[in-house]
Amino acid sequence: VQLQASGGGSVQAGGSLRLSCAASTRTFSNYAMGWFRQAPGKERDLVAGIGWNALHTYYADSVKGRFTITRDNAENMVFLQMTSLKPEDTAVYYCAAVVQGRTWSQVNYWGQGTQVTVSS
């Protein structure tokens, strides 16, 4: 499975960005999908996750109410809509896929990362 993330960029605080991740697999619905982020000098942390059928989602406390994760199983895509961005959201964002039944500490595939920079 190859994951191709896009949509990063530079915005001012309060702005919005939409990240996209395209998955090259015929079994996209076998995977929960998520977005992680890693700021310089920090660990890579899970920001948002979505189950295979989109019935279940997870958000880190720091992004609840501001970020929304969605997926389109027909197009093998997952999205992260980010609003009310803050400077502390600045990081490289990674798309991730994990086989159903595994935990987010057992990611099977990673995308290449896309930089998000939020200026104050």
Side-chain angles (χ1 to χ4, degrees):
V1 176
Q2 291 187 330
L3 303 176
Q4 183 71 39
S6 61
S10 297
V11 296
Q12 289 191 328
S16 299
L17 283 173
R18 188 192 193 211
L19 305 183
S20 299
C21 177
S24 62
T25 174
R26 295 183 179 181
T27 57
F28 184 64
S29 61
N30 285 356
Y31 298 93
M33 299 298 296
W35 289 94
F36 287 71
R37 69 185 180 188
Q38 187 168 21
K42 296 188 176 182
E43 294 185 351
R44 189 176 298 188
D45 294 322
L46 178 65
V47 173
I50 187 167
W52 71 273
N53 59 2
L55 290 181
H56 300 286
T57 56
Y58 163 85
Y59 296 97
D61 287 343
S62 59
V63 306
K64 281 181 181 177
R66 300 189 299 121
F67 291 10
T68 303
I69 186 169
T70 57
R71 66 187 294 161
D72 183 339
N73 285 352
E75 298 295 330
N76 288 5
M77 298 286 295
V78 62
F79 307 97
L80 186 68
Q81 180 68 49
M82 305 185 294
T83 63
S84 302
L85 283 161
K86 304 175 181 180
E88 51 264 42
D89 294 317
T90 295
V92 177
Y93 284 70
Y94 297 90
C95 178
V98 61
V99 171
Q100 291 294 331
R102 289 193 163 190
T103 69
W104 288 111
S105 63
Q106 300 171 301
V107 169
N108 295 97
Y109 302 101
W110 292 98
Q112 87 285 9
T114 184
Q115 176 71 46
V116 172
T117 303
V118 184
S119 58
S120 57

